[in-house]
């Protein structure tokens, strides 16, 4: 830059640091990391050193790992930091997440090369059924280790508070950086969850865990929390229980379960669903009651004594977690306000049980499936019927008979189809599942190939929509490639009466539950 006949030069590394700071302030972390790697220039600065050190001392590892992802720290400090995170995850019994960090992150891979004995020790601690904190932390408290880590990190980090110059640069809106801002999510599990979603989706090939309920009990519904932390079952005896899908045991790190207390209804629990933050759980029972629980404490925070006149068959949350959508044996679907505790809307039109109810992707429609052989598309605001779909039966079935629609699931984005168009997988009590649009057009079909006991009972979709998994009357899981429509894998789930399925939000794990009192976790 020339000024009054003299020239001032700016070091190219400083220009790169300016761009890195812009990326950091605008949460363009992937761009920041790539630029650091390519230029070999490191920003090595945070907005607030006090905040970073506080996060380390308090074990807020989601924020810490996000911060260090764009810092250049010595290898030994990164190894110590990641080792502590892995051990604390193991203590929380988040074993899969701990294994993922151990095996898939650069600091732990470098530890494996530099100090294989320490790496194998950490791996062995993760694999143990019981976590011994004294052994894992070598007699030190977590607080002391965190404090030592904070002290070491502080020696290598500078402070670069947001500046007016960078605010002005931000107004330019660099088009080359547009669209790269990653989705934010809460918690350490959310941070790892984003990377786990990039894993290739696969069919389950084995039953990894089998849970046997009491002699007079069986699960009627199962769901996973969106963050993958919890698996919850609702049982015919009214219990709502939280499970560790990795071990097939009850979560004893929840104090109320450890003390023998449980979330409960007086009648059979036949529907459960988490809100998007995985903090609240809604459960519906056979007597028409709905309860909302805070899972961390087991506290009931909202109760709808008569959400429906008969049993609640399904429950789902609105995107903003302010409302609950439920379906029922009373032929209706209803919307209930979380804040008001009142029923706000009712969707009528079916002539038999409403087996599933879901919002469209943008929340403008409610899509219900019923035993009356129809799927109805409602306007979610006015409750007006926009369209009634009658899924056509397979060619070998009589066209004059009615076939119950077990469920209609809104499809995630599917390659080859418009992302703007709502598509639904429709499971009827036949041997064929259909992919349809809301105009009623059949786009693809998936058939078990069996006429005897080949009719489908329930289905679930993999998180990225690559696989359709369905269980039939023969108690076998059928795995279809959504792209080709072909049957790729089968797996026996239980000996009799499989009721339903639930897919983990980020892993190749499917829960199946049956009337014989079993719940199984199937894995790839």
């Amino acid at each position: 830059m020339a000024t009054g006949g003299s020239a001032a030069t700016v070091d190219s590394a400083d220009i790169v640091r300016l761009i890195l700071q812009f990326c950091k302030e605008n949460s363009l972390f992937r761009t920041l990391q790539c630029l650091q790697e390519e230029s070999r220039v490191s920003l090595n600065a945070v907005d607030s050193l006090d905040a970073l050190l506080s996060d380390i001392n308090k074990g807020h590892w989601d924020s810490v790992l996000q911060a260090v992802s764009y810092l250049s720290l010595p290898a030994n400090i990164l190894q110590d930091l990641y080792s502590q995170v892995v051990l604390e995850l193991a203590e929380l019994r988040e074993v899969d997440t701990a294994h993922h960090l151990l095996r898939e992150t650069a600091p732990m891979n470098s530890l494996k090369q530099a100090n294989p004995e320490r790496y194998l020790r950490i791996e062995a601690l993760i694999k143990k059924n019981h976590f011994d904190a004294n052994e894992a932390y070598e007699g030190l408290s977590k607080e002391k280790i965190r404090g030592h880590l904070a002290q070491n990190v502080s020696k290598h980090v500078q402070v670069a508070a947001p500046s007016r110059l960078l605010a002005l640069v931000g107004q330019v809106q660099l088009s080359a950086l547009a669209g790269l801002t990653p989705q934010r999510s809460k918690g350490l599990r959310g941070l790892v969850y984003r990377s786990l979603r990039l894993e290739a989706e696969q069919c389950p090939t084995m039953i990894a865990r089998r849970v046997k309920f009491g002699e007079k009990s069986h699960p009627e519904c199962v769901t996973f929390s969106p963050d993958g932390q919890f698996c919850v079952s609702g049982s015919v005896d009214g219990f709502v229980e939280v499970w560790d899908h990795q071990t097939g045991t009850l979560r004893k790190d929840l104090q109320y379960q450890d003390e023998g207390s449980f979330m409960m209804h007086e009648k059979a629990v036949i529907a459960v669903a988490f809100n998007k933050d995985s903090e609240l759980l809604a459960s519906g029972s056979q007597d028409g009651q709905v309860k909302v629980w805070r899972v961390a404490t087991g506290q009931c925070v909202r109760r709808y004594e008569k959400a429906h006149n008969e049993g609640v068959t399904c429950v789902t949350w609105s995107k903003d977690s302010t409302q609950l959508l439920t379906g029922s044996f009373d032929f209706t679907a209803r919307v209930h306000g979380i804040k008001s505790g009142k029923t706000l809307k009712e969707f009528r039109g079916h002539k038999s049980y409403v087996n599933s109810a879901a919002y469209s992707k943008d929340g403008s429609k409610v899509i219900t499936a019923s035993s009356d052989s129809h799927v109805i598309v409602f306007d979610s605001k006015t409750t007006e019927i926009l369209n009634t779909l009658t899924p056509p039966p397979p060619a070998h079935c009589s066209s004059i008979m009615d076939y119950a629609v077990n469920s209609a699931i809104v499809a995630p984005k599917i390659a080859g189809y418009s992302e703007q168009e709502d598509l639904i997988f429709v499971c009827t009590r036949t041997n064929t599942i259909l992919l349809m649009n809301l105009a009623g057009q059949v786009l693809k079909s998936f058939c078990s190939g069996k006429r005897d006991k080949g009719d489908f009972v329930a289905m679930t979709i993999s998180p990225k929509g690559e696989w359709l998994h369905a269980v039939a009357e023969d108690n076998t899981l059928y795995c279809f490639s959504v792209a080709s429509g072909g049957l790729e894998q089968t797996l026996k789930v239980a000996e009799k009466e499989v009721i339903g399925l639930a897919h983990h939000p980020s892993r190749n794990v499917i829960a199946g539950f049956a009337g014989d009192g079993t719940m199984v976790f199937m894995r790839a």
Side-chain angles (χ1 to χ4, degrees):
M1 179 174 64
T3 306
S6 63
T9 60
V10 180
D11 188 81
S12 59
D14 290 334
I15 297 295
V16 174
R17 289 190 181 95
L18 179 68
I19 298 172
L20 290 173
Q21 180 71 7
F22 171 86
C23 292
K24 181 169 74 72
E25 290 188 15
N26 289 274
S27 300
L28 301 172
F29 298 117
R30 283 184 293 174
T31 306
L32 187 151
Q33 289 169 342
C34 290
L35 184 55
Q36 283 191 153
E37 291 170 5
E38 293 292 332
S39 67
R40 297 186 179 180
V41 175
S42 174
L43 182 62
N44 242 36
V46 293
D47 294 345
S48 169
L49 182 58
D50 288 342
L52 174 60
L53 301 184
S54 174
D55 284 337
I56 294 174
N57 281 307
K58 293 178 180 177
H60 295 169
W61 299 122
D62 56 326
S63 300
V64 174
L65 293 188
Q66 186 73 76
V68 301
S69 67
Y70 55 82
L71 296 176
S72 179
L73 297 173
N76 64 313
I77 292 178
L78 280 174
Q79 290 165 7
D80 290 345
L81 188 66
Y82 272 75
S83 295
Q84 185 62 20
V85 175
V86 169
L87 290 174
E88 291 195 25
L89 280 169
E91 185 175 9
L92 291 169
R93 305 316 297 152
E94 289 293 325
V95 178
D96 280 359
T97 309
H99 273 300
H100 178 80
L101 282 180
L102 183 70
R103 296 168 181 170
E104 304 296 332
T105 57
M108 298 312 290
N109 285 331
S110 68
L111 176 66
K112 188 176 183 180
Q113 297 296 322
N115 192 341
E117 186 177 339
R118 182 183 178 191
Y119 180 92
L120 291 173
R121 177 181 175 275
I122 294 172
E123 187 174 45
L125 286 167
I126 295 174
K127 290 179 179 179
K128 286 191 173 184
N129 292 328
H130 174 70
F131 185 87
D132 186 334
N134 191 58
E135 178 187 9
Y137 304 134
E138 300 183 81
L140 299 175
S141 67
K142 276 189 295 189
E143 292 71 22
K144 190 166 185 176
I145 296 174
R146 291 171 180 175
H148 185 65
L149 285 169
Q151 186 178 9
N152 286 340
V153 168
S154 67
K155 298 173 184 177
H156 301 275
V157 179
Q158 301 175 2
V159 176
S163 67
R164 173 62 178 160
L165 172 62
L166 290 175
L168 292 173
V169 172
Q171 293 174 10
V172 177
Q173 295 192 9
L174 301 178
S175 59
L177 301 177
L180 295 179
T181 305
Q183 292 290 323
R184 293 185 179 272
S185 58
K186 292 185 177 181
L188 176 59
R189 299 178 188 91
L191 182 65
V192 179
Y193 170 71
R194 292 198 297 275
S195 64
L196 288 174
R197 285 184 67 86
L198 300 177
E199 292 179 345
E201 293 191 340
Q202 300 175 342
C203 295
T205 58
M206 60 178 288
I207 293 178
R209 293 285 183 271
R210 187 182 299 272
V211 179
K212 180 66 178 172
F213 283 63
E215 187 176 341
K216 296 182 179 180
S217 179
H218 67 264
E220 284 281 351
C221 51
V222 170
T223 191
F224 287 96
S225 58
D227 65 3
Q229 181 185 0
F230 301 118
C231 177
V232 168
S233 66
S235 304
V236 70
D237 55 8
F239 281 83
V240 178
E241 296 167 294
V242 188
W243 301 88
D244 183 338
H245 71 85
Q246 299 165 73
T247 62
T249 57
L250 286 171
R251 292 285 296 260
K252 292 301 181 73
D253 55 331
L254 297 172
Q255 185 178 351
Y256 58 96
Q257 288 198 159
D258 188 42
E259 294 173 351
S261 298
F262 294 90
M263 299 177 281
M264 284 194 69
H265 283 257
E266 292 182 3
K267 299 293 184 180
V269 178
I270 50 181
V272 284
F274 278 93
N275 73 336
K276 67 175 183 178
D277 293 330
S278 305
E279 295 175 357
L280 299 177
L281 175 79
S283 56
S285 59
Q286 200 170 31
D287 56 2
Q289 184 185 67
V290 169
K291 292 182 179 182
V292 178
W293 310 87
R294 195 170 301 281
V295 180
T297 63
Q299 177 189 8
C300 181
V301 296
R302 176 64 70 195
R303 186 192 311 260
Y304 306 85
E305 290 296 346
K306 274 295 176 183
H308 284 275
N309 299 326
E310 295 186 37
V312 179
T313 57
C314 57
V315 57
T316 188
W317 292 78
S318 62
K319 190 174 291 186
D320 61 4
S321 297
T322 62
Q323 297 179 348
L324 283 175
L325 171 64
T326 57
S328 172
F329 289 129
D330 66 9
F331 304 179
T332 71
R334 293 176 179 175
V335 170
H336 316 273
I338 295 298
K339 188 174 182 179
S340 68
K342 297 179 179 179
T343 299
L344 307 176
K345 296 175 184 176
E346 184 173 83
F347 300 87
R348 288 185 168 273
H350 284 296
K351 297 179 181 179
S352 187
Y353 307 149
V354 175
N355 297 318
S356 76
Y359 287 103
S360 60
K361 290 178 183 176
D362 64 3
S364 66
K365 304 176 186 69
V366 165
I367 302 156
T368 56
S370 170
S371 294
D372 65 8
S373 80
H374 299 305
V375 174
I376 297 182
V377 182
F378 295 91
D379 184 300
S380 63
K381 290 185 178 179
T382 66
T383 72
E384 174 191 0
I385 294 178
L386 302 177
N387 200 9
T388 299
L389 317 181
T390 306
H396 70 275
C397 294
S398 170
S399 58
I400 62 172
M401 291 183 63
D402 291 336
Y403 300 91
V405 185
N406 300 323
S407 61
I409 299 176
V410 177
K413 180 183 177 182
I414 299 177
Y417 297 96
S418 170
E419 190 174 359
Q420 280 69 45
E421 183 180 23
D422 280 309
L423 304 179
I424 53 175
F425 287 96
V426 180
C427 178
T428 59
R429 198 66 182 236
T430 69
N431 69 354
T432 302
I433 291 173
L434 304 174
L435 177 64
M436 305 177 69
N437 60 23
L438 298 190
Q441 179 184 5
V442 175
L443 306 176
K444 193 168 285 188
S445 61
F446 308 85
C447 182
S448 70
K450 292 181 66 174
R451 296 193 183 186
D452 181 31
K453 294 188 176 180
D455 290 354
F456 288 116
V457 175
M459 66 175 172
T460 187
I461 314 299
S462 64
K464 290 190 283 189
E466 296 176 7
W467 294 96
L468 166 66
H469 305 285
V471 67
E473 290 177 331
D474 60 0
N475 305 312
T476 297
L477 180 74
Y478 292 79
C479 305
F480 298 93
S481 164
V482 172
S484 69
L487 175 62
E488 301 291 337
Q489 177 84 35
T490 61
L491 181 65
K492 189 76 170 181
V493 180
E495 291 305 314
K496 59 180 181 180
E497 197 187 351
V498 176
I499 297 170
L501 302 168
H503 203 297
H504 191 282
S506 62
R507 307 174 197 263
N508 296 308
V509 175
I510 297 175
F513 47 101
D516 63 1
T518 63
M519 175 172 63
V520 300
F521 295 106
M522 297 168 276
R523 295 178 181 271

